[in-house]
Amino acid sequence: MARSFSVRAQPGFTTVALICFFLLYLPIATLVVYAFNAGTSIAIWEGFSLRWFHQAWNNSQVIDASIRSVQIATAAAILATICATMAALATTRTRAYRGLTAKYAFINAPLMVPEIVTAVALLIVFSRVKIATGYSGLGYLILAHTAFCIPFAYLPIRARLEAMDLSLETAAADLYATRWQAFRRVTLPLLWPGILAGLMLAFVISLDDVVITEFVKSGGQDTLPTYMLGQLRRVVTPEMNAISTVFLAISILIVTVFFFISRKRDV
Amino acid sequence: MPSAAGCDDNQRSRQKERDVFSGVIVPEKPDRNAIEVRGVSKRFGIGENAFKALDNVSVTIRENEFFTLLGPSGCGKTTLLRLIAGFDFPTEGQIMLHGQDIAPLPPFKRPVNTVFQSYALFPHMTVGQNIGFGLEMLGKPKAEVKARVDQMLRLVRMEALKDRRTSQISGGQQQRVALARALAPSPKVLLLDEPLSALDYKLRKEMQSELKRLQTETGITFIFVTHDQEEALTMSDRIAVMSAGKILQVGAPWEIYDRPADRFVADFIGETNFLPGTLGAIENGRTTVTLSSGAMLPATLAEGYVPNGPATIVVRPEHARAIREGGDLRGQVENIVYFGTDTHIHVRLDDRNLFTVRQQNSRSRDCGFVVGDAVGVAIAPDGAQVLKD
């Protein structure tokens, strides 16, 4: 009877697992199913139809908000990833010194600070800047998103750098590579999966943000999530389900693409 | 590699042009110094917490030499290597390469390449790309890089693996790639940081002779760091023995082994017996020592050493014999250790010191003693040396 211990052999394991999966995915499954509802209700099934996808596609507000979301997320993700890469290089390619831990804490602070606090703070600061400069474009949203995306981009990049053998860069320098050449030819190619992971993560986090966007946006600057929030206050039709379903599909696609890229790079 | 020895200067410089290792300095004067370390100190940290990794070290490494820095871990040998490579900068002192002070230069401006302990091969490049990296960084034309890579692959006998990833080859093969990569730009000095320590015994033996062959064929000065005294003795032209940030002795392997400068060197290299004794009159670096048993032995003095008072005498195990009757010292056999080629007889002397005798084995008889036997130790006439403690 010398069987190795396995959590799967514990009594009730299957039951607990099923309940967890059920709770996690039942609401999402319901949402997806009713996106294809022919009727106007999000609770009563009246047959299969793609009409809500059609309607959302022809809703200029939805398209407008989607484009804005992607613009902000792209800009913020790129900026955040650049900052995060530099921060990760600076905090790992150095001898440990007093204050290094404090720097980690500062970089990761946006993960800990309640989002609503950041949102209110940005609202106050940006409203003054808006008055002083007269500029009220997307820049504020991009800046705000960049700021809270940095730690999300930073974590996978730093993890990758810490796993990298420092002697590789030393070897490059020994073989006549200047600092820039060593970075471009050795550090960057090896860091690439980490940077991609950071970029994707930052993109998804930005795309998803409601609280800060709601506070910082000027009139007519709805992103997809804030637009949906606004709609929910009025009439809820399966159009919301359709938009959410597309949103979900895109997120899954991004994660899948990243998974395959990073797997290929690691071999 | 054709050797330049015997050519006149004119011929030599012309040969250098044609030479495939065109970057290699063919010595103008055979005894020119490749590296001269002058009064170098290296401290890590500041104030009272500062750790002195190197303490006023000076050493000269000659052109075309296989030079070994030997010492226990923490003795500063790797620090000295890193200073020569440019990965660290000395706190004080100069490092001259062919008469030019390179101490302030960054590593990519020094014509010096390194074979790392971990090999540090670039995992995202093929074997060929790894070997060509240095030449590419030097801005050599593509065709030249390719020719040189092929030549290096032949040199380390790895032609078949050119397009493999470095993760797809064995440890010994990675070692060869690391060597080829460091030799490809024809450095003036090749630094090797314990490169054989990750290999198993047989492969290590094989790579030892491989390294010697490469050094002879390329004519490049090798500076080799190791803590393995056997490795140092078998491979080196000269050895520097280091301890606690200082160089204790520099010399040919036989000098280090047979004429150790002090007790640390004698103890670190090979097996040694230490005996207390009293010195007689000193004449021409020779003296007569009276041992605790009353036996008198002729002995040489370590060079430059002027003793006063009681001294330590060192005798290598192979310079003594175990005999039944008589002998310079008497004792009892405490242990017998069989090594295949020879047998070590550990003798507990009457003054309670331990003395090891090494005896060559023969197929027709055993060592002739059993544990507990009374035994005499006869020391060879030139076997004893007086040491600085």
Side-chain angles (χ1 to χ4, degrees), chain B residues 268-295:
Chain B
F268 190 72
I269 314 288
E271 273 185 82
T272 308
N273 297 299
F274 295 105
L275 299 167
T278 341
L279 300 187
I282 298 167
E283 208 176 311
N284 280 336
R286 303 192 64 85
T287 182
T288 309
V289 182
T290 311
L291 300 180
S292 59
S293 63

PDB file of all heavy atoms in Angstrom, chain B residues 268-295:
ATOM      1  N   PHE B 268      50.659  23.788   0.829  1.00  0.00           N
ATOM      2  CA  PHE B 268      49.590  23.841  -0.177  1.00  0.00           C
ATOM      3  C   PHE B 268      49.918  22.959  -1.369  1.00  0.00           C
ATOM      4  O   PHE B 268      49.039  22.351  -1.960  1.00  0.00           O
ATOM      5  CB  PHE B 268      49.368  25.292  -0.622  1.00  0.00           C
ATOM      6  CG  PHE B 268      48.141  25.470  -1.465  1.00  0.00           C
ATOM      7  CD1 PHE B 268      46.876  25.387  -0.893  1.00  0.00           C
ATOM      8  CD2 PHE B 268      48.233  25.701  -2.824  1.00  0.00           C
ATOM      9  CE1 PHE B 268      45.739  25.537  -1.652  1.00  0.00           C
ATOM     10  CE2 PHE B 268      47.102  25.842  -3.605  1.00  0.00           C
ATOM     11  CZ  PHE B 268      45.849  25.758  -3.016  1.00  0.00           C
ATOM     12  N   ILE B 269      51.208  22.898  -1.745  1.00  0.00           N
ATOM     13  CA  ILE B 269      51.605  22.111  -2.907  1.00  0.00           C
ATOM     14  C   ILE B 269      52.071  20.737  -2.453  1.00  0.00           C
ATOM     15  O   ILE B 269      53.084  20.604  -1.787  1.00  0.00           O
ATOM     16  CB  ILE B 269      52.772  22.797  -3.664  1.00  0.00           C
ATOM     17  CG1 ILE B 269      52.514  24.276  -3.858  1.00  0.00           C
ATOM     18  CG2 ILE B 269      53.050  22.086  -4.977  1.00  0.00           C
ATOM     19  CD1 ILE B 269      51.466  24.606  -4.849  1.00  0.00           C
ATOM     20  N   GLY B 270      51.357  19.734  -2.828  1.00  0.00           N
ATOM     21  CA  GLY B 270      51.770  18.373  -2.530  1.00  0.00           C
ATOM     22  C   GLY B 270      51.656  18.054  -1.050  1.00  0.00           C
ATOM     23  O   GLY B 270      51.180  18.856  -0.253  1.00  0.00           O
ATOM     24  N   GLU B 271      52.125  16.868  -0.684  1.00  0.00           N
ATOM     25  CA  GLU B 271      52.097  16.472   0.718  1.00  0.00           C
ATOM     26  C   GLU B 271      53.456  16.713   1.328  1.00  0.00           C
ATOM     27  O   GLU B 271      54.487  16.551   0.682  1.00  0.00           O
ATOM     28  CB  GLU B 271      51.716  15.010   0.843  1.00  0.00           C
ATOM     29  CG  GLU B 271      50.207  14.843   0.891  1.00  0.00           C
ATOM     30  CD  GLU B 271      49.832  13.412   1.136  1.00  0.00           C
ATOM     31  OE1 GLU B 271      49.853  12.999   2.301  1.00  0.00           O
ATOM     32  OE2 GLU B 271      49.556  12.724   0.151  1.00  0.00           O
ATOM     33  N   THR B 272      53.449  17.115   2.560  1.00  0.00           N
ATOM     34  CA  THR B 272      54.694  17.533   3.181  1.00  0.00           C
ATOM     35  C   THR B 272      54.734  17.113   4.645  1.00  0.00           C
ATOM     36  O   THR B 272      53.704  17.077   5.307  1.00  0.00           O
ATOM     37  CB  THR B 272      54.824  19.071   3.130  1.00  0.00           C
ATOM     38  OG1 THR B 272      54.616  19.489   1.798  1.00  0.00           O
ATOM     39  CG2 THR B 272      56.192  19.522   3.577  1.00  0.00           C
ATOM     40  N   ASN B 273      55.929  16.789   5.126  1.00  0.00           N
ATOM     41  CA  ASN B 273      56.132  16.570   6.558  1.00  0.00           C
ATOM     42  C   ASN B 273      56.862  17.759   7.147  1.00  0.00           C
ATOM     43  O   ASN B 273      57.820  18.258   6.563  1.00  0.00           O
ATOM     44  CB  ASN B 273      56.981  15.312   6.778  1.00  0.00           C
ATOM     45  CG  ASN B 273      56.264  14.077   6.270  1.00  0.00           C
ATOM     46  OD1 ASN B 273      55.182  13.741   6.750  1.00  0.00           O
ATOM     47  ND2 ASN B 273      56.853  13.417   5.282  1.00  0.00           N
ATOM     48  N   PHE B 274      56.376  18.241   8.259  1.00  0.00           N
ATOM     49  CA  PHE B 274      57.055  19.320   8.965  1.00  0.00           C
ATOM     50  C   PHE B 274      57.661  18.761  10.249  1.00  0.00           C
ATOM     51  O   PHE B 274      56.992  18.054  10.997  1.00  0.00           O
ATOM     52  CB  PHE B 274      56.067  20.439   9.308  1.00  0.00           C
ATOM     53  CG  PHE B 274      55.510  21.113   8.088  1.00  0.00           C
ATOM     54  CD1 PHE B 274      54.213  20.865   7.669  1.00  0.00           C
ATOM     55  CD2 PHE B 274      56.292  21.988   7.356  1.00  0.00           C
ATOM     56  CE1 PHE B 274      53.708  21.476   6.547  1.00  0.00           C
ATOM     57  CE2 PHE B 274      55.784  22.605   6.228  1.00  0.00           C
ATOM     58  CZ  PHE B 274      54.499  22.350   5.820  1.00  0.00           C
ATOM     59  N   LEU B 275      58.959  19.083  10.502  1.00  0.00           N
ATOM     60  CA  LEU B 275      59.634  18.600  11.698  1.00  0.00           C
ATOM     61  C   LEU B 275      60.291  19.770  12.408  1.00  0.00           C
ATOM     62  O   LEU B 275      60.857  20.641  11.758  1.00  0.00           O
ATOM     63  CB  LEU B 275      60.724  17.585  11.308  1.00  0.00           C
ATOM     64  CG  LEU B 275      60.295  16.314  10.581  1.00  0.00           C
ATOM     65  CD1 LEU B 275      61.527  15.618  10.014  1.00  0.00           C
ATOM     66  CD2 LEU B 275      59.541  15.399  11.531  1.00  0.00           C
ATOM     67  N   PRO B 276      60.242  19.792  13.740  1.00  0.00           N
ATOM     68  CA  PRO B 276      60.986  20.827  14.469  1.00  0.00           C
ATOM     69  C   PRO B 276      62.463  20.439  14.534  1.00  0.00           C
ATOM     70  O   PRO B 276      62.784  19.243  14.517  1.00  0.00           O
ATOM     71  CB  PRO B 276      60.343  20.792  15.860  1.00  0.00           C
ATOM     72  CG  PRO B 276      59.819  19.396  16.008  1.00  0.00           C
ATOM     73  CD  PRO B 276      59.482  18.900  14.628  1.00  0.00           C
ATOM     74  N   GLY B 277      63.318  21.416  14.581  1.00  0.00           N
ATOM     75  CA  GLY B 277      64.736  21.094  14.663  1.00  0.00           C
ATOM     76  C   GLY B 277      65.563  22.298  15.083  1.00  0.00           C
ATOM     77  O   GLY B 277      65.068  23.416  15.163  1.00  0.00           O
ATOM     78  N   THR B 278      66.824  22.049  15.364  1.00  0.00           N
ATOM     79  CA  THR B 278      67.740  23.137  15.708  1.00  0.00           C
ATOM     80  C   THR B 278      68.805  23.218  14.623  1.00  0.00           C
ATOM     81  O   THR B 278      69.308  22.198  14.170  1.00  0.00           O
ATOM     82  CB  THR B 278      68.435  22.853  17.067  1.00  0.00           C
ATOM     83  OG1 THR B 278      67.683  21.877  17.785  1.00  0.00           O
ATOM     84  CG2 THR B 278      68.528  24.109  17.892  1.00  0.00           C
ATOM     85  N   LEU B 279      69.118  24.462  14.254  1.00  0.00           N
ATOM     86  CA  LEU B 279      70.057  24.655  13.157  1.00  0.00           C
ATOM     87  C   LEU B 279      71.485  24.756  13.667  1.00  0.00           C
ATOM     88  O   LEU B 279      71.739  25.332  14.715  1.00  0.00           O
ATOM     89  CB  LEU B 279      69.711  25.925  12.392  1.00  0.00           C
ATOM     90  CG  LEU B 279      68.320  25.991  11.761  1.00  0.00           C
ATOM     91  CD1 LEU B 279      68.207  27.234  10.896  1.00  0.00           C
ATOM     92  CD2 LEU B 279      68.046  24.751  10.947  1.00  0.00           C
ATOM     93  N   GLY B 280      72.368  24.203  12.874  1.00  0.00           N
ATOM     94  CA  GLY B 280      73.781  24.387  13.143  1.00  0.00           C
ATOM     95  C   GLY B 280      74.304  25.584  12.367  1.00  0.00           C
ATOM     96  O   GLY B 280      73.530  26.464  11.989  1.00  0.00           O
ATOM     97  N   ALA B 281      75.617  25.614  12.128  1.00  0.00           N
ATOM     98  CA  ALA B 281      76.221  26.733  11.404  1.00  0.00           C
ATOM     99  C   ALA B 281      75.730  26.750   9.950  1.00  0.00           C
ATOM    100  O   ALA B 281      75.465  25.709   9.360  1.00  0.00           O
ATOM    101  CB  ALA B 281      77.741  26.590  11.435  1.00  0.00           C
ATOM    102  N   ILE B 282      75.532  27.977   9.404  1.00  0.00           N
ATOM    103  CA  ILE B 282      75.042  28.116   8.029  1.00  0.00           C
ATOM    104  C   ILE B 282      76.187  28.492   7.112  1.00  0.00           C
ATOM    105  O   ILE B 282      76.954  29.401   7.407  1.00  0.00           O
ATOM    106  CB  ILE B 282      73.935  29.178   7.962  1.00  0.00           C
ATOM    107  CG1 ILE B 282      72.756  28.725   8.834  1.00  0.00           C
ATOM    108  CG2 ILE B 282      73.473  29.394   6.522  1.00  0.00           C
ATOM    109  CD1 ILE B 282      71.765  29.810   9.083  1.00  0.00           C
ATOM    110  N   GLU B 283      76.297  27.771   6.013  1.00  0.00           N
ATOM    111  CA  GLU B 283      77.362  28.063   5.058  1.00  0.00           C
ATOM    112  C   GLU B 283      76.822  27.867   3.651  1.00  0.00           C
ATOM    113  O   GLU B 283      76.339  26.786   3.328  1.00  0.00           O
ATOM    114  CB  GLU B 283      78.523  27.098   5.318  1.00  0.00           C
ATOM    115  CG  GLU B 283      79.861  27.684   4.907  1.00  0.00           C
ATOM    116  CD  GLU B 283      80.980  26.713   5.271  1.00  0.00           C
ATOM    117  OE1 GLU B 283      80.991  26.239   6.421  1.00  0.00           O
ATOM    118  OE2 GLU B 283      81.806  26.423   4.396  1.00  0.00           O
ATOM    119  N   ASN B 284      76.851  28.924   2.813  1.00  0.00           N
ATOM    120  CA  ASN B 284      76.387  28.835   1.421  1.00  0.00           C
ATOM    121  C   ASN B 284      74.950  28.319   1.301  1.00  0.00           C
ATOM    122  O   ASN B 284      74.635  27.510   0.431  1.00  0.00           O
ATOM    123  CB  ASN B 284      77.291  27.900   0.612  1.00  0.00           C
ATOM    124  CG  ASN B 284      78.558  28.611   0.196  1.00  0.00           C
ATOM    125  OD1 ASN B 284      78.561  29.843   0.110  1.00  0.00           O
ATOM    126  ND2 ASN B 284      79.593  27.847  -0.045  1.00  0.00           N
ATOM    127  N   GLY B 285      74.083  28.738   2.190  1.00  0.00           N
ATOM    128  CA  GLY B 285      72.687  28.295   2.137  1.00  0.00           C
ATOM    129  C   GLY B 285      72.500  26.863   2.570  1.00  0.00           C
ATOM    130  O   GLY B 285      71.443  26.270   2.370  1.00  0.00           O
ATOM    131  N   ARG B 286      73.524  26.280   3.184  1.00  0.00           N
ATOM    132  CA  ARG B 286      73.370  24.909   3.686  1.00  0.00           C
ATOM    133  C   ARG B 286      73.672  24.881   5.169  1.00  0.00           C
ATOM    134  O   ARG B 286      74.413  25.722   5.692  1.00  0.00           O
ATOM    135  CB  ARG B 286      74.319  23.945   2.951  1.00  0.00           C
ATOM    136  CG  ARG B 286      74.146  23.930   1.439  1.00  0.00           C
ATOM    137  CD  ARG B 286      74.891  22.756   0.809  1.00  0.00           C
ATOM    138  NE  ARG B 286      74.338  21.495   1.237  1.00  0.00           N
ATOM    139  CZ  ARG B 286      73.285  20.900   0.645  1.00  0.00           C
ATOM    140  NH1 ARG B 286      72.698  21.483  -0.378  1.00  0.00           N
ATOM    141  NH2 ARG B 286      72.836  19.760   1.077  1.00  0.00           N
ATOM    142  N   THR B 287      73.079  23.928   5.848  1.00  0.00           N
ATOM    143  CA  THR B 287      73.313  23.836   7.282  1.00  0.00           C
ATOM    144  C   THR B 287      73.137  22.392   7.733  1.00  0.00           C
ATOM    145  O   THR B 287      72.813  21.518   6.924  1.00  0.00           O
ATOM    146  CB  THR B 287      72.346  24.752   8.053  1.00  0.00           C
ATOM    147  OG1 THR B 287      72.637  24.672   9.437  1.00  0.00           O
ATOM    148  CG2 THR B 287      70.892  24.353   7.819  1.00  0.00           C
ATOM    149  N   THR B 288      73.339  22.155   8.979  1.00  0.00           N
ATOM    150  CA  THR B 288      73.074  20.843   9.545  1.00  0.00           C
ATOM    151  C   THR B 288      71.998  21.009  10.616  1.00  0.00           C
ATOM    152  O   THR B 288      72.073  21.919  11.438  1.00  0.00           O
ATOM    153  CB  THR B 288      74.343  20.244  10.187  1.00  0.00           C
ATOM    154  OG1 THR B 288      75.388  20.342   9.224  1.00  0.00           O
ATOM    155  CG2 THR B 288      74.125  18.796  10.571  1.00  0.00           C
ATOM    156  N   VAL B 289      70.998  20.136  10.562  1.00  0.00           N
ATOM    157  CA  VAL B 289      69.886  20.256  11.479  1.00  0.00           C
ATOM    158  C   VAL B 289      69.928  19.111  12.475  1.00  0.00           C
ATOM    159  O   VAL B 289      70.166  17.970  12.106  1.00  0.00           O
ATOM    160  CB  VAL B 289      68.547  20.186  10.700  1.00  0.00           C
ATOM    161  CG1 VAL B 289      67.372  20.360  11.630  1.00  0.00           C
ATOM    162  CG2 VAL B 289      68.528  21.201   9.596  1.00  0.00           C
ATOM    163  N   THR B 290      69.674  19.456  13.733  1.00  0.00           N
ATOM    164  CA  THR B 290      69.569  18.403  14.736  1.00  0.00           C
ATOM    165  C   THR B 290      68.083  18.199  15.037  1.00  0.00           C
ATOM    166  O   THR B 290      67.373  19.124  15.432  1.00  0.00           O
ATOM    167  CB  THR B 290      70.303  18.813  16.032  1.00  0.00           C
ATOM    168  OG1 THR B 290      71.600  19.290  15.664  1.00  0.00           O
ATOM    169  CG2 THR B 290      70.413  17.634  16.963  1.00  0.00           C
ATOM    170  N   LEU B 291      67.603  16.958  14.782  1.00  0.00           N
ATOM    171  CA  LEU B 291      66.189  16.661  15.013  1.00  0.00           C
ATOM    172  C   LEU B 291      65.963  16.285  16.481  1.00  0.00           C
ATOM    173  O   LEU B 291      66.910  16.088  17.236  1.00  0.00           O
ATOM    174  CB  LEU B 291      65.753  15.497  14.103  1.00  0.00           C
ATOM    175  CG  LEU B 291      65.900  15.755  12.604  1.00  0.00           C
ATOM    176  CD1 LEU B 291      65.452  14.539  11.809  1.00  0.00           C
ATOM    177  CD2 LEU B 291      65.092  16.978  12.189  1.00  0.00           C
ATOM    178  N   SER B 292      64.692  16.157  16.858  1.00  0.00           N
ATOM    179  CA  SER B 292      64.358  15.861  18.251  1.00  0.00           C
ATOM    180  C   SER B 292      64.909  14.503  18.688  1.00  0.00           C
ATOM    181  O   SER B 292      65.204  14.275  19.854  1.00  0.00           O
ATOM    182  CB  SER B 292      62.850  15.890  18.439  1.00  0.00           C
ATOM    183  OG  SER B 292      62.257  14.929  17.574  1.00  0.00           O
ATOM    184  N   SER B 293      65.103  13.618  17.700  1.00  0.00           N
ATOM    185  CA  SER B 293      65.643  12.297  18.034  1.00  0.00           C
ATOM    186  C   SER B 293      67.146  12.337  18.271  1.00  0.00           C
ATOM    187  O   SER B 293      67.739  11.351  18.690  1.00  0.00           O
ATOM    188  CB  SER B 293      65.341  11.339  16.879  1.00  0.00           C
ATOM    189  OG  SER B 293      66.018  11.794  15.714  1.00  0.00           O
ATOM    190  N   GLY B 294      67.745  13.486  17.973  1.00  0.00           N
ATOM    191  CA  GLY B 294      69.184  13.605  18.093  1.00  0.00           C
ATOM    192  C   GLY B 294      69.877  13.377  16.767  1.00  0.00           C
ATOM    193  O   GLY B 294      71.079  13.626  16.645  1.00  0.00           O
ATOM    194  N   ALA B 295      69.141  12.884  15.750  1.00  0.00           N
ATOM    195  CA  ALA B 295      69.747  12.637  14.449  1.00  0.00           C
ATOM    196  C   ALA B 295      70.151  13.955  13.807  1.00  0.00           C
ATOM    197  O   ALA B 295      69.478  14.967  13.974  1.00  0.00           O
ATOM    198  CB  ALA B 295      68.780  11.895  13.547  1.00  0.00           C
TER     199      ALA B 295
END
